[in-house]
Amino acid sequence: MNLGLYPRLALTGIRKNRQLYFPYLLTCAGMVFLYFIMASLAASPIVAEINGAATTQILLDLGKNVIAIFAAIFLFYTNSFLMRRRQREFGLYNVLGMSKGNIACILLWETLFTAAVGLLGGIASGVVLYKLAELALVRIMQGEVTYSINIVWSVLPKTALLFGGIFLLLFVAALLRVRLTDPIQLLHSETVGEKPPKANWLLGLAGVVILGAGYYFAVTIEDPMAVLFGFFLAVALVVVGTYLIFVAGSVVLCRILQKNRRYYYKPNHFVSVSSMTYRMKRNGAGLASICILATSVLVILSAGISLIVGINDVFRQRYPTDFSLEIGSYSQLTEEQEQTLRNFASEGLSVENENTRTYLYATGILEDDSLQFSNIYEENRSLSGYWDVYILDLAEYNRLSGSTATLSDGEVLIAFNNETSAMANLTVESVGTFTVKETVPYLTVSPGSLVSIYNKVVIVAEDLDIFLPLLDIAEAGDTQTIVYYTWQYSFDAAESLEKQDAIYREKQSDYTETVASIMGDVGYYSSFDSFADSRNDYYGLFGGIFFLAVFFSVVFTLATVLIIYYKQISEGYEDAARFEIMQKVGMTRRDIRRSVNSQMLTVFLLPVGMAGLHLIFACFIVRRLLLMAALDNMPLFVGTACGCFGVFAVVYAVVYRITSNAYYRLVSAK
């Protein structure tokens, strides 16, 4: 047999099935393009120079791996639609005398053509558009824009090797499919329907229970460090529950609709419900995939937009002044030390809104109206059991809060950042027992506490000296005890942010040595922060996260569109013969349109409605994740989530209209 026949048959098969192959080729090229862009940005020397880029490039590298895994799964998923459509053609080849080895040669050439188009198209478009993606990321991260072309060529062989392996696996999977099926089955595979599945109430109930458990974790989890684990656990439960509900619940829904005589025995509903019933096992899994991808888009995009829009709120909560110097010491600072530190922090700057504050900071355990600080890490307890403790004297509290509170001997005021029950007395280790005069509104003593994962309590005493014995616990050498006398100096500067940043960087070079000489032999910790410098770091980090959110949202949206398209096209081919028969017995094109609309609305409203429900419960746990980034703006997140859902619903409706028209053209062609 002429060897040139195989390439011609492969090209002919691709051309005649272009309605399926064209989107598939675009998908292959698109996945290559997305991986190439992500991998190039992760290795970009220009991105690496931006403040905060170290974390962003780690995230980009992780995103590159996610894209690789997703590409493999999604290409296998879309390729399965092609193989199902082509099985009849391969069966005909086999009946006409071709061996399975000959068919394997055709498949090999099809795979080579597909790989060539996917790799060349994806890499070429990646090389052309890489600079645009780099400029977008640099702009979002507030970096310095450069227009020089700097392609990361080392990514090319890695991309080719990865997707070459994926195409090889696709070829092997196609061979196994053909090899394990006899010619008659291949010839009639397209017309063989599924057996009507039974309504599995037990499986559906299990799905509801698992989904409810996922919702419960999302709403109730409080432990700050458990939020991340709880998020992944909730996601896993919601995914499993969604698949079970759609696979089993969709069958139950069809059975219920069939028993409703007023609904079922109408031309538009009778045909649509009957056809859905016989393929609901596959249909339910597809709808669940659409729902999960839609939820991913909504959650990722809502969180990413909330972070980038609320970034200024995060800055000014975390850094309310332009400069801040904080010293935590095992003993009180002298006036001379305080003045020397002030001079160092403000040298070369025009000082405005100068402010100092002193307090005791400790990490402790609050149990049964008792605060303990010694050996608190020996027991295996959850992080929700630990507390950040801030102790102020009355004058400092009144100055910071603007109140006129008074205290008598043995009395304290207390404030919690959560809904901890009020207490009548408070016993403090190494200090004594105090009467709680009043539980007052919580006051943020240190802006740095906004990013702490612990619960927080503020104690106000008549005089700070009463609590100084706590310093003896830390000074005794107990490495498991954290107690500091804390002195903070903060101020604004009249200079521009650029000049502030330049002066800060000059100070930073000798900051450690200067503070060490001032503090002497006393144990201490210190931090020196600048709003301008931290702003650059935050923009670098949050900008990178926002870029990833938009990137993955585009990926998952395109995946959703393609799943819907292939689902409708493959079912259109399957239903064309059935609708042709029904047209011969009197069904009109208008009846077909009404039947198609009935089926489309029934099928497509379910995933987007369930995705909206998932998003509502996701708001609870995503809010806690945003709190870890110091963003406490629930109205912003809820508004963003609603806006994203509205935009996605519009896109979804457009896709619904396009795919329903494609399905209608297939089933009404004759």
Side-chain angles (χ1 to χ4, degrees):
M1 189 174 280
N2 187 357
L3 292 176
L5 177 63
Y6 297 128
R8 289 200 301 273
L9 288 176
L11 288 173
T12 300
I14 292 174
R15 187 176 63 254
K16 289 188 175 181
N17 291 278
R18 57 185 175 274
Q19 194 169 17
L20 288 173
Y21 259 102
F22 182 68
Y24 177 66
L25 292 174
L26 287 180
T27 302
C28 294
M31 289 299 168
V32 173
F33 166 77
L34 293 171
Y35 178 84
F36 178 83
I37 292 293
M38 186 71 76
S40 298
L41 291 174
S44 170
I46 294 177
V47 174
E49 295 175 358
I50 305 172
N51 289 337
T55 303
T56 298
Q57 287 196 303
I58 292 174
L59 293 174
L60 288 170
D61 197 60
L62 179 63
K64 172 195 72 176
N65 296 330
V66 172
I67 291 292
I69 296 171
F70 182 80
I73 295 172
F74 191 64
L75 288 179
F76 268 91
Y77 186 87
T78 51
N79 184 260
S80 66
F81 287 102
L82 291 175
M83 289 299 101
R84 182 174 175 84
R85 175 62 183 162
R86 300 294 304 284
Q87 281 180 341
R88 183 181 181 184
E89 179 183 334
F90 295 146
L92 182 60
Y93 286 155
N94 211 173
V95 169
L96 293 176
M98 278 191 177
S99 68
K100 290 186 177 180
N102 300 136
I103 296 175
C105 291
I106 297 174
L107 287 173
L108 175 61
W109 279 101
E110 285 187 5
T111 303
L112 290 175
F113 288 140
T114 303
V117 173
L119 285 171
L120 294 177
I123 291 176
S125 56
V127 170
V128 172
L129 298 177
Y130 165 70
K131 188 60 186 180
L132 184 62
E134 184 184 75
L135 287 173
L137 179 58
V138 171
R139 178 69 69 182
I140 292 172
M141 296 174 66
Q142 299 290 301
E144 184 177 349
V145 175
T146 60
Y147 293 96
S148 59
I149 305 297
N150 187 25
I151 302 298
V152 186
W153 296 109
S154 61
V155 174
L156 286 175
K158 296 178 181 178
T159 304
L161 185 62
L162 170 67
F163 283 90
I166 292 175
F167 286 120
L168 177 60
L169 292 175
L170 290 172
F171 172 65
V172 172
L175 285 183
L176 291 175
R177 183 189 292 265
V178 173
R179 182 178 179 81
L180 297 176
T181 312
D182 64 59
I184 302 302
Q185 286 179 325
L186 286 173
L187 192 59
H188 296 286
S189 61
E190 194 178 40
T191 58
V192 174
E194 294 185 12
K195 294 180 180 180
K198 296 180 180 179
N200 195 328
W201 290 90
L202 185 61
L203 198 64
L205 182 60
V208 172
V209 172
I210 293 173
L211 183 63
Y215 287 165
Y216 176 80
F217 275 109
V219 172
T220 61
I221 193 165
E222 294 289 345
D223 191 330
M225 283 305 291
V227 167
L228 195 57
F229 171 77
F231 175 77
F232 288 111
L233 178 60
V235 168
L237 291 172
V238 167
V239 169
V240 173
T242 300
Y243 271 94
L244 290 177
I245 288 175
F246 271 98
V247 172
S250 55
V251 176
V252 173
L253 175 62
C254 288
R255 296 301 189 199
I256 293 173
L257 293 178
Q258 285 180 321
K259 291 180 180 179
N260 187 338
R261 293 178 176 271
R262 292 184 178 179
Y263 179 89
Y264 184 55
Y265 290 106
K266 292 183 179 180
N268 53 329
H269 297 154
F270 180 84
V271 175
S272 62
V273 174
S274 298
S275 62
M276 285 192 299
T277 302
Y278 276 81
R279 55 170 173 246
M280 251 322 165
K281 182 179 179 181
R282 178 158 44 93
N283 216 351
L287 295 178
S289 299
I290 294 170
C291 176
I292 295 301
L293 287 171
T295 305
S296 301
V297 171
L298 294 171
V299 172
I300 292 172
L301 199 57
S302 299
I305 293 175
S306 297
L307 276 176
I308 204 68
V309 171
I311 195 168
N312 287 324
D313 292 342
V314 175
F315 289 157
R316 275 311 177 188
Q317 286 186 52
R318 180 67 179 85
Y319 303 99
T321 56
D322 292 338
F323 289 88
S324 176
L325 174 63
E326 181 175 310
I327 303 292
S329 172
Y330 289 151
S331 63
Q332 288 180 285
L333 272 63
T334 65
E335 291 185 7
E336 181 181 356
Q337 287 175 316
E338 291 183 5
Q339 188 58 50
T340 306
L341 289 167
R342 280 195 193 92
N343 293 339
F344 163 74
S346 60
E347 184 180 3
L349 295 163
S350 303
V351 176
E352 299 176 350
N353 305 320
E354 190 175 15
N355 183 31
T356 60
R357 66 182 65 177
T358 58
Y359 56 90
L360 283 175
Y361 166 76
T363 301
I365 298 171
L366 179 60
E367 291 180 344
D368 299 327
D369 304 345
S370 176
L371 265 173
Q372 179 183 340
F373 302 99
S374 299
N375 303 316
I376 58 175
Y377 297 107
E378 289 185 348
E379 299 179 13
N380 185 18
R381 68 176 73 243
S382 70
L383 292 177
S384 60
Y386 293 105
W387 288 75
D388 285 327
V389 182
Y390 300 90
I391 304 172
L392 300 170
D393 65 24
L394 183 62
E396 190 85 334
Y397 171 76
N398 284 337
R399 181 175 68 84
L400 294 175
S401 65
S403 64
T404 56
T406 59
L407 289 171
S408 302
D409 291 341
E411 289 184 337
V412 295
L413 302 175
I414 196 166
F416 303 99
N417 73 320
N418 55 20
E419 298 179 356
T420 302
S421 301
M423 56 183 65
N425 298 292
L426 176 66
T427 300
V428 181
E429 178 189 355
S430 299
V431 179
T433 301
F434 300 87
T435 300
V436 178
K437 180 179 180 181
E438 185 182 358
T439 300
V440 295
Y442 179 74
L443 171 71
T444 300
V445 176
S446 171
S449 66
L450 294 171
V451 295
S452 172
I453 60 176
Y454 294 157
N455 294 311
K456 301 169 186 63
V457 57
V458 176
I459 301 171
V460 181
E462 187 177 14
D463 194 331
L464 193 61
D465 292 346
I466 299 172
F467 285 84
L468 289 181
L470 292 176
L471 294 173
D472 297 333
I473 302 175
E475 208 168 20
D478 179 5
T479 58
Q480 295 197 14
T481 299
I482 300 175
V483 181
Y484 289 111
Y485 173 90
T486 305
W487 177 82
Q488 279 189 350
Y489 173 58
S490 58
F491 61 92
D492 292 327
E495 288 76 12
S496 65
L497 288 179
E498 290 76 12
K499 187 172 183 179
Q500 289 180 30
D501 189 42
I503 294 174
Y504 171 78
R505 292 180 181 276
E506 290 179 8
K507 293 177 181 293
Q508 194 69 19
S509 61
D510 59 353
Y511 153 71
T512 302
E513 184 179 344
T514 301
V515 173
S517 65
I518 295 171
M519 297 303 298
D521 296 331
V522 177
Y524 72 95
Y525 88 89
S526 65
S527 66
F528 182 41
D529 296 317
S530 160
F531 171 79
D533 181 72
S534 301
R535 180 175 179 270
N536 294 334
D537 288 339
Y538 267 75
Y539 263 112
L541 176 59
F542 285 13
I545 293 174
F546 174 69
F547 181 85
L548 283 174
V550 173
F551 199 91
F552 280 116
S553 296
V554 171
V555 172
F556 293 151
T557 300
L558 292 177
T560 303
V561 172
L562 283 168
I563 289 175
I564 295 172
Y565 176 80
Y566 276 123
K567 178 180 177 301
Q568 293 309 109
I569 294 299
S570 61
E571 291 180 3
Y573 280 119
E574 293 174 8
D575 292 345
R578 301 184 185 101
F579 275 94
E580 181 183 358
I581 294 172
M582 285 186 283
Q583 287 183 80
K584 290 179 179 178
V585 296
M587 193 174 195
T588 65
R589 286 178 175 267
R590 182 180 179 183
D591 292 332
I592 294 176
R593 170 61 76 180
R594 293 173 63 187
S595 177
V596 169
N597 287 337
S598 173
Q599 180 174 330
M600 296 296 104
L601 288 174
T602 303
V603 168
F604 282 97
L605 285 180
L606 292 175
V608 74
M610 183 67 82
L613 183 62
H614 290 346
L615 180 63
I616 292 173
F617 284 92
C619 285
F620 293 93
I621 197 166
V622 173
R623 177 178 179 270
R624 294 184 180 89
L625 290 172
L626 293 177
L627 283 173
M628 296 175 69
L631 179 61
D632 186 11
N633 193 336
M634 190 61 173
L636 171 63
F637 177 68
V638 171
T640 302
C642 291
C644 289
F645 183 81
V647 173
F648 184 83
V650 172
V651 174
Y652 194 84
V654 172
V655 173
Y656 153 73
R657 175 53 60 187
I658 294 173
T659 55
S660 65
N661 287 338
Y663 179 88
Y664 172 75
R665 285 194 296 271
L666 287 173
V667 300
S668 64
K670 297 182 180 181

